């Protein structure tokens, strides 16, 4: 076990943070053995360090969960401190996390030098400062077309920005009370062949329609967009499937999941997230800097948990 150090976090705009951890019993590590720091959440992702004894060196690695469609470009400065911080081994580099490399080698030091000059009764303090330059999410390939090639099978066109989606009134109405009222009710829109949807991201609508027609396509990249549109257009099946994905498969942080649970009234997700909060550190990790941004009911539940931990 180790001791969690103080974390330095700059403003959100700069996207910088520092992981600091004191590893214990480092000198006892055998070849190809490793130790991990606890996970910490920064900017909606969980990060941790690992030290590894390999080939006569101690190596330091950085880890975060990267989704299939994601790249994280960042600068990192890694420091290994000797007893009383009299000596520092430091290395800086620019790296890219992809789905093919969620562990990133940061620095290494000769094992004999480590034992002679850096270990303090087997303890070793390691620091990694990270500056995220770019966090890229790439859209996946469409699962289904709703373009001109499907027009002959459509009886209604949804216009979003400069894109048109050719769909079926009856099918959408069977999935959504909102669309049933819009297409089949007494409103004038029911007589139109094209309806413009406001405040909708066309890519999110693509993913939403793919789900309705194929009941698939929910992933880390698409879940929030599908959820937003499903909530806007009252689509219970899509909301339920998004909630199940967030509970069973998503690697989003606990803080992010709680935000979605509050925003979209996902009671089962909220319960699962709250059950995972067992310490004051857990509570601190999910509370935003501005508590007014948190759902009042969730804030109330966290307050109750705080009282039990006093």
């Amino acid at each position: 076990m180790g001791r969690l150090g103080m974390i330095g976090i700059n403003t959100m705009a700069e996207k910088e943070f520092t992981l600091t951890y004191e590893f214990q019993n480092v000198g006892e590590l055998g070849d190809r053995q490793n130790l991990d720091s606890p996970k910490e959440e920064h900017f909606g992702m969980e990060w941790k360090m690992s030290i590894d004894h390999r080939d006569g060196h101690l190596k330091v690695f950085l880890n975060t969960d990267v989704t299939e469609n994601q790249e994280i470009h960042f600068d990192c400065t890694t420091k290994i401190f000797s007893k009383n911080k009299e000596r520092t081994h430091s290395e800086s580099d620019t790296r890219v996390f992809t789905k093919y490399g969620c562990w990133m080698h940061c620095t290494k030091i000769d094992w004999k030098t480590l034992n002679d000059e850096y270990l303090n009764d087997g303890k070793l303090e390691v620091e990694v400062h990270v500056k995220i330059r770019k966090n890229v999410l790439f859209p996946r390939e469409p699962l289904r077309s709703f373009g001109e090639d499907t027009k002959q099978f459509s009886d209604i066109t949804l216009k979003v920005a400069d894109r048109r989606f050719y769909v079926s009134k009856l099918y959408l109405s069977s999935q959504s009370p909102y669309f049933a009222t819009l297409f089949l009710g007494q409103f004038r829109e029911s007589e139109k062949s094209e309806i413009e949807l406001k405040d909708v991201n066309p890519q999110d609508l693509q993913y939403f329609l793919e789900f309705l027609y194929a009941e698939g396509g929910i992933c880390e990249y698409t879940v929030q967009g599908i959820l937003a549109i499903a909530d806007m257009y009252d689509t219970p099946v899509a909301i339920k499937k998004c909630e199940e994905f967030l509970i069973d498969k998503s690697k989003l942080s606990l803080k992010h999941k709680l935000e979605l649970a509050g925003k979209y009234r996902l009671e089962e997700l909220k319960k699962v997230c709250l059950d995972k909060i067992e310490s004051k550190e857990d509570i601190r990790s999910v509370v935003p800097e501005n508590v007014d941004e948190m759902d009042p009911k969730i804030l109330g539940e966290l307050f109750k948990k705080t009282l039990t931990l006093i």
Side-chain angles (χ1 to χ4, degrees), residues 260-291:
L260 294 174
K263 184 175 182 179
Y264 296 113
R265 303 169 300 284
L266 306 177
E267 294 301 319
E268 186 61 28
L269 177 62
K270 180 173 75 172
K271 181 180 183 302
V272 169
C273 290
L274 289 174
D275 286 346
K276 291 182 179 180
I277 297 174
E278 300 176 341
S279 66
K280 293 180 181 178
E281 288 73 23
D282 290 339
I283 293 174
R284 291 191 191 99
S285 73
V286 300
V287 176
E289 291 185 15
N290 183 0
V291 294

mmCIF file of all heavy atoms in Angstrom, residues 260-291:
data_model
loop_
_atom_site.group_PDB
_atom_site.id
_atom_site.type_symbol
_atom_site.label_atom_id
_atom_site.label_comp_id
_atom_site.label_asym_id
_atom_site.label_seq_id
_atom_site.Cartn_x
_atom_site.Cartn_y
_atom_site.Cartn_z
ATOM 1 N N LEU A 260 -24.872 12.438 -15.363
ATOM 2 C CA LEU A 260 -25.863 11.967 -16.329
ATOM 3 C C LEU A 260 -27.099 11.417 -15.632
ATOM 4 O O LEU A 260 -28.230 11.626 -16.083
ATOM 5 C CB LEU A 260 -25.238 10.901 -17.233
ATOM 6 C CG LEU A 260 -24.127 11.373 -18.171
ATOM 7 C CD1 LEU A 260 -23.502 10.191 -18.907
ATOM 8 C CD2 LEU A 260 -24.640 12.393 -19.171
ATOM 9 N N ALA A 261 -26.888 10.723 -14.519
ATOM 10 C CA ALA A 261 -28.020 10.171 -13.771
ATOM 11 C C ALA A 261 -28.931 11.281 -13.262
ATOM 12 O O ALA A 261 -30.161 11.167 -13.317
ATOM 13 C CB ALA A 261 -27.508 9.329 -12.605
ATOM 14 N N GLY A 262 -28.329 12.362 -12.778
ATOM 15 C CA GLY A 262 -29.139 13.481 -12.301
ATOM 16 C C GLY A 262 -29.825 14.229 -13.426
ATOM 17 O O GLY A 262 -31.010 14.567 -13.331
ATOM 18 N N LYS A 263 -29.088 14.472 -14.494
ATOM 19 C CA LYS A 263 -29.623 15.261 -15.604
ATOM 20 C C LYS A 263 -30.778 14.563 -16.311
ATOM 21 O O LYS A 263 -31.771 15.204 -16.705
ATOM 22 C CB LYS A 263 -28.506 15.547 -16.610
ATOM 23 C CG LYS A 263 -28.918 16.450 -17.769
ATOM 24 C CD LYS A 263 -27.722 16.787 -18.652
ATOM 25 C CE LYS A 263 -28.114 17.737 -19.780
ATOM 26 N NZ LYS A 263 -26.936 18.084 -20.626
ATOM 27 N N TYR A 264 -30.674 13.229 -16.451
ATOM 28 C CA TYR A 264 -31.679 12.499 -17.231
ATOM 29 C C TYR A 264 -32.551 11.589 -16.351
ATOM 30 O O TYR A 264 -33.241 10.724 -16.875
ATOM 31 C CB TYR A 264 -30.994 11.685 -18.323
ATOM 32 C CG TYR A 264 -30.282 12.563 -19.325
ATOM 33 C CD1 TYR A 264 -28.887 12.556 -19.430
ATOM 34 C CD2 TYR A 264 -30.984 13.438 -20.149
ATOM 35 C CE1 TYR A 264 -28.226 13.376 -20.340
ATOM 36 C CE2 TYR A 264 -30.334 14.263 -21.053
ATOM 37 C CZ TYR A 264 -28.960 14.226 -21.139
ATOM 38 O OH TYR A 264 -28.303 15.044 -22.037
ATOM 39 N N ARG A 265 -32.486 11.766 -15.047
ATOM 40 C CA ARG A 265 -33.361 11.062 -14.102
ATOM 41 C C ARG A 265 -33.216 9.541 -14.237
ATOM 42 O O ARG A 265 -34.203 8.810 -14.349
ATOM 43 C CB ARG A 265 -34.825 11.491 -14.299
ATOM 44 C CG ARG A 265 -35.013 12.991 -14.156
ATOM 45 C CD ARG A 265 -36.379 13.444 -14.618
ATOM 46 N NE ARG A 265 -36.611 13.132 -16.032
ATOM 47 C CZ ARG A 265 -36.080 13.807 -17.054
ATOM 48 N NH1 ARG A 265 -35.272 14.846 -16.820
ATOM 49 N NH2 ARG A 265 -36.335 13.451 -18.307
ATOM 50 N N LEU A 266 -31.993 9.073 -14.220
ATOM 51 C CA LEU A 266 -31.688 7.650 -14.359
ATOM 52 C C LEU A 266 -31.526 7.061 -12.958
ATOM 53 O O LEU A 266 -30.437 7.040 -12.391
ATOM 54 C CB LEU A 266 -30.418 7.451 -15.195
ATOM 55 C CG LEU A 266 -30.418 8.127 -16.573
ATOM 56 C CD1 LEU A 266 -29.083 7.907 -17.276
ATOM 57 C CD2 LEU A 266 -31.572 7.624 -17.437
ATOM 58 N N GLU A 267 -32.624 6.606 -12.402
ATOM 59 C CA GLU A 267 -32.646 6.209 -10.995
ATOM 60 C C GLU A 267 -31.782 4.988 -10.710
ATOM 61 O O GLU A 267 -31.122 4.920 -9.674
ATOM 62 C CB GLU A 267 -34.088 5.946 -10.554
ATOM 63 C CG GLU A 267 -34.970 7.187 -10.554
ATOM 64 C CD GLU A 267 -34.423 8.285 -9.640
ATOM 65 O OE1 GLU A 267 -33.956 7.955 -8.528
ATOM 66 O OE2 GLU A 267 -34.448 9.459 -10.045
ATOM 67 N N GLU A 268 -31.798 4.000 -11.598
ATOM 68 C CA GLU A 268 -30.997 2.809 -11.356
ATOM 69 C C GLU A 268 -29.504 3.138 -11.429
ATOM 70 O O GLU A 268 -28.710 2.661 -10.609
ATOM 71 C CB GLU A 268 -31.343 1.729 -12.374
ATOM 72 C CG GLU A 268 -30.653 0.388 -12.126
ATOM 73 C CD GLU A 268 -31.021 -0.242 -10.793
ATOM 74 O OE1 GLU A 268 -32.149 0.017 -10.301
ATOM 75 O OE2 GLU A 268 -30.177 -0.982 -10.240
ATOM 76 N N LEU A 269 -29.112 3.946 -12.392
ATOM 77 C CA LEU A 269 -27.711 4.371 -12.488
ATOM 78 C C LEU A 269 -27.311 5.160 -11.256
ATOM 79 O O LEU A 269 -26.209 4.977 -10.719
ATOM 80 C CB LEU A 269 -27.502 5.220 -13.749
ATOM 81 C CG LEU A 269 -26.104 5.800 -13.946
ATOM 82 C CD1 LEU A 269 -25.061 4.703 -14.091
ATOM 83 C CD2 LEU A 269 -26.066 6.725 -15.163
ATOM 84 N N LYS A 270 -28.187 6.024 -10.801
ATOM 85 C CA LYS A 270 -27.892 6.815 -9.600
ATOM 86 C C LYS A 270 -27.652 5.899 -8.404
ATOM 87 O O LYS A 270 -26.698 6.087 -7.642
ATOM 88 C CB LYS A 270 -29.041 7.782 -9.309
ATOM 89 C CG LYS A 270 -28.806 8.649 -8.069
ATOM 90 C CD LYS A 270 -29.890 9.695 -7.916
ATOM 91 C CE LYS A 270 -31.172 9.092 -7.422
ATOM 92 N NZ LYS A 270 -32.178 10.138 -7.091
ATOM 93 N N LYS A 271 -28.504 4.904 -8.244
ATOM 94 C CA LYS A 271 -28.357 3.978 -7.117
ATOM 95 C C LYS A 271 -27.041 3.222 -7.196
ATOM 96 O O LYS A 271 -26.324 3.093 -6.182
ATOM 97 C CB LYS A 271 -29.527 2.996 -7.104
ATOM 98 C CG LYS A 271 -29.491 1.995 -5.949
ATOM 99 C CD LYS A 271 -30.678 1.065 -6.008
ATOM 100 C CE LYS A 271 -30.676 0.107 -4.814
ATOM 101 N NZ LYS A 271 -29.442 -0.709 -4.725
ATOM 102 N N VAL A 272 -26.701 2.729 -8.385
ATOM 103 C CA VAL A 272 -25.454 1.974 -8.560
ATOM 104 C C VAL A 272 -24.247 2.848 -8.229
ATOM 105 O O VAL A 272 -23.313 2.419 -7.540
ATOM 106 C CB VAL A 272 -25.348 1.433 -10.001
ATOM 107 C CG1 VAL A 272 -23.945 0.890 -10.283
ATOM 108 C CG2 VAL A 272 -26.387 0.350 -10.238
ATOM 109 N N CYS A 273 -24.266 4.089 -8.702
ATOM 110 C CA CYS A 273 -23.146 5.007 -8.440
ATOM 111 C C CYS A 273 -23.034 5.330 -6.953
ATOM 112 O O CYS A 273 -21.928 5.317 -6.383
ATOM 113 C CB CYS A 273 -23.327 6.296 -9.236
ATOM 114 S SG CYS A 273 -23.120 6.100 -11.020
ATOM 115 N N LEU A 274 -24.148 5.622 -6.324
ATOM 116 C CA LEU A 274 -24.123 5.974 -4.895
ATOM 117 C C LEU A 274 -23.661 4.800 -4.047
ATOM 118 O O LEU A 274 -22.969 4.981 -3.036
ATOM 119 C CB LEU A 274 -25.504 6.441 -4.451
ATOM 120 C CG LEU A 274 -25.947 7.810 -4.984
ATOM 121 C CD1 LEU A 274 -27.394 8.099 -4.609
ATOM 122 C CD2 LEU A 274 -25.044 8.932 -4.458
ATOM 123 N N ASP A 275 -24.009 3.576 -4.451
ATOM 124 C CA ASP A 275 -23.579 2.396 -3.696
ATOM 125 C C ASP A 275 -22.063 2.211 -3.748
ATOM 126 O O ASP A 275 -21.487 1.562 -2.869
ATOM 127 C CB ASP A 275 -24.261 1.141 -4.243
ATOM 128 C CG ASP A 275 -25.738 1.053 -3.852
ATOM 129 O OD1 ASP A 275 -26.151 1.819 -2.953
ATOM 130 O OD2 ASP A 275 -26.469 0.244 -4.453
ATOM 131 N N LYS A 276 -21.429 2.768 -4.792
ATOM 132 C CA LYS A 276 -19.976 2.633 -4.922
ATOM 133 C C LYS A 276 -19.213 3.663 -4.093
ATOM 134 O O LYS A 276 -17.990 3.592 -3.984
ATOM 135 C CB LYS A 276 -19.571 2.757 -6.395
ATOM 136 C CG LYS A 276 -20.029 1.580 -7.244
ATOM 137 C CD LYS A 276 -19.563 1.734 -8.684
ATOM 138 C CE LYS A 276 -20.000 0.546 -9.538
ATOM 139 N NZ LYS A 276 -19.563 0.686 -10.945
ATOM 140 N N ILE A 277 -19.910 4.631 -3.543
ATOM 141 C CA ILE A 277 -19.268 5.685 -2.759
ATOM 142 C C ILE A 277 -19.204 5.244 -1.315
ATOM 143 O O ILE A 277 -20.229 5.128 -0.637
ATOM 144 C CB ILE A 277 -20.033 7.017 -2.909
ATOM 145 C CG1 ILE A 277 -19.990 7.473 -4.374
ATOM 146 C CG2 ILE A 277 -19.455 8.083 -1.994
ATOM 147 C CD1 ILE A 277 -20.825 8.687 -4.670
ATOM 148 N N GLU A 278 -17.986 4.992 -0.818
ATOM 149 C CA GLU A 278 -17.818 4.399 0.501
ATOM 150 C C GLU A 278 -16.899 5.192 1.422
ATOM 151 O O GLU A 278 -16.676 4.799 2.556
ATOM 152 C CB GLU A 278 -17.274 2.972 0.354
ATOM 153 C CG GLU A 278 -18.189 2.053 -0.449
ATOM 154 C CD GLU A 278 -17.583 0.683 -0.664
ATOM 155 O OE1 GLU A 278 -16.338 0.580 -0.521
ATOM 156 O OE2 GLU A 278 -18.332 -0.262 -0.954
ATOM 157 N N SER A 279 -16.350 6.296 0.938
ATOM 158 C CA SER A 279 -15.412 7.052 1.770
ATOM 159 C C SER A 279 -15.529 8.547 1.477
ATOM 160 O O SER A 279 -16.162 8.953 0.500
ATOM 161 C CB SER A 279 -13.970 6.600 1.489
ATOM 162 O OG SER A 279 -13.593 6.953 0.161
ATOM 163 N N LYS A 280 -14.897 9.341 2.329
ATOM 164 C CA LYS A 280 -14.874 10.796 2.112
ATOM 165 C C LYS A 280 -14.159 11.132 0.807
ATOM 166 O O LYS A 280 -14.539 12.072 0.109
ATOM 167 C CB LYS A 280 -14.184 11.487 3.294
ATOM 168 C CG LYS A 280 -14.950 11.395 4.608
ATOM 169 C CD LYS A 280 -14.202 12.100 5.727
ATOM 170 C CE LYS A 280 -14.950 11.989 7.046
ATOM 171 N NZ LYS A 280 -14.204 12.633 8.153
ATOM 172 N N GLU A 281 -13.119 10.345 0.485
ATOM 173 C CA GLU A 281 -12.382 10.583 -0.763
ATOM 174 C C GLU A 281 -13.284 10.336 -1.967
ATOM 175 O O GLU A 281 -13.235 11.070 -2.952
ATOM 176 C CB GLU A 281 -11.157 9.666 -0.826
ATOM 177 C CG GLU A 281 -10.032 10.045 0.136
ATOM 178 C CD GLU A 281 -10.348 9.723 1.584
ATOM 179 O OE1 GLU A 281 -11.213 8.840 1.822
ATOM 180 O OE2 GLU A 281 -9.754 10.344 2.474
ATOM 181 N N ASP A 282 -14.118 9.305 -1.864
ATOM 182 C CA ASP A 282 -15.067 9.023 -2.951
ATOM 183 C C ASP A 282 -16.033 10.184 -3.137
ATOM 184 O O ASP A 282 -16.356 10.583 -4.262
ATOM 185 C CB ASP A 282 -15.858 7.750 -2.653
ATOM 186 C CG ASP A 282 -15.010 6.492 -2.728
ATOM 187 O OD1 ASP A 282 -13.956 6.537 -3.385
ATOM 188 O OD2 ASP A 282 -15.411 5.484 -2.127
ATOM 189 N N ILE A 283 -16.511 10.734 -2.029
ATOM 190 C CA ILE A 283 -17.453 11.855 -2.091
ATOM 191 C C ILE A 283 -16.785 13.065 -2.735
ATOM 192 O O ILE A 283 -17.348 13.709 -3.614
ATOM 193 C CB ILE A 283 -17.983 12.208 -0.687
ATOM 194 C CG1 ILE A 283 -18.853 11.060 -0.157
ATOM 195 C CG2 ILE A 283 -18.792 13.511 -0.715
ATOM 196 C CD1 ILE A 283 -19.305 11.234 1.270
ATOM 197 N N ARG A 284 -15.558 13.369 -2.320
ATOM 198 C CA ARG A 284 -14.832 14.509 -2.902
ATOM 199 C C ARG A 284 -14.645 14.328 -4.409
ATOM 200 O O ARG A 284 -14.685 15.300 -5.164
ATOM 201 C CB ARG A 284 -13.465 14.660 -2.237
ATOM 202 C CG ARG A 284 -13.509 15.110 -0.776
ATOM 203 C CD ARG A 284 -12.119 15.495 -0.292
ATOM 204 N NE ARG A 284 -12.086 15.676 1.144
ATOM 205 C CZ ARG A 284 -11.655 14.757 2.012
ATOM 206 N NH1 ARG A 284 -11.211 13.595 1.561
ATOM 207 N NH2 ARG A 284 -11.663 14.984 3.307
ATOM 208 N N SER A 285 -14.455 13.101 -4.844
ATOM 209 C CA SER A 285 -14.161 12.850 -6.260
ATOM 210 C C SER A 285 -15.361 13.093 -7.166
ATOM 211 O O SER A 285 -15.189 13.289 -8.368
ATOM 212 C CB SER A 285 -13.659 11.413 -6.448
ATOM 213 O OG SER A 285 -14.719 10.481 -6.297
ATOM 214 N N VAL A 286 -16.589 13.069 -6.616
ATOM 215 C CA VAL A 286 -17.770 13.207 -7.478
ATOM 216 C C VAL A 286 -18.452 14.560 -7.352
ATOM 217 O O VAL A 286 -19.322 14.899 -8.170
ATOM 218 C CB VAL A 286 -18.812 12.093 -7.178
ATOM 219 C CG1 VAL A 286 -18.214 10.732 -7.430
ATOM 220 C CG2 VAL A 286 -19.361 12.193 -5.759
ATOM 221 N N VAL A 287 -18.068 15.350 -6.354
ATOM 222 C CA VAL A 287 -18.717 16.653 -6.159
ATOM 223 C C VAL A 287 -18.033 17.696 -7.045
ATOM 224 O O VAL A 287 -16.811 17.871 -6.968
ATOM 225 C CB VAL A 287 -18.657 17.091 -4.688
ATOM 226 C CG1 VAL A 287 -19.239 18.502 -4.519
ATOM 227 C CG2 VAL A 287 -19.426 16.114 -3.811
ATOM 228 N N PRO A 288 -18.765 18.408 -7.897
ATOM 229 C CA PRO A 288 -18.161 19.435 -8.751
ATOM 230 C C PRO A 288 -17.734 20.642 -7.938
ATOM 231 O O PRO A 288 -18.176 20.840 -6.786
ATOM 232 C CB PRO A 288 -19.291 19.805 -9.717
ATOM 233 C CG PRO A 288 -20.550 19.477 -8.984
ATOM 234 C CD PRO A 288 -20.230 18.292 -8.127
ATOM 235 N N GLU A 289 -16.837 21.450 -8.510
ATOM 236 C CA GLU A 289 -16.390 22.651 -7.811
ATOM 237 C C GLU A 289 -17.568 23.561 -7.468
ATOM 238 O O GLU A 289 -17.621 24.153 -6.406
ATOM 239 C CB GLU A 289 -15.365 23.403 -8.675
ATOM 240 C CG GLU A 289 -14.043 22.671 -8.832
ATOM 241 C CD GLU A 289 -13.031 23.501 -9.582
ATOM 242 O OE1 GLU A 289 -13.245 24.724 -9.732
ATOM 243 O OE2 GLU A 289 -12.013 22.935 -10.026
ATOM 244 N N ASN A 290 -18.506 23.681 -8.394
ATOM 245 C CA ASN A 290 -19.729 24.446 -8.151
ATOM 246 C C ASN A 290 -20.839 23.465 -7.811
ATOM 247 O O ASN A 290 -21.402 22.812 -8.687
ATOM 248 C CB ASN A 290 -20.092 25.273 -9.389
ATOM 249 C CG ASN A 290 -21.324 26.142 -9.169
ATOM 250 O OD1 ASN A 290 -21.920 26.132 -8.084
ATOM 251 N ND2 ASN A 290 -21.729 26.885 -10.174
ATOM 252 N N VAL A 291 -21.176 23.330 -6.526
ATOM 253 C CA VAL A 291 -22.158 22.335 -6.102
ATOM 254 C C VAL A 291 -23.548 22.624 -6.664
ATOM 255 O O VAL A 291 -24.398 21.729 -6.704
ATOM 256 C CB VAL A 291 -22.224 22.238 -4.566
ATOM 257 C CG1 VAL A 291 -20.925 21.703 -4.002
ATOM 258 C CG2 VAL A 291 -22.569 23.587 -3.945
#
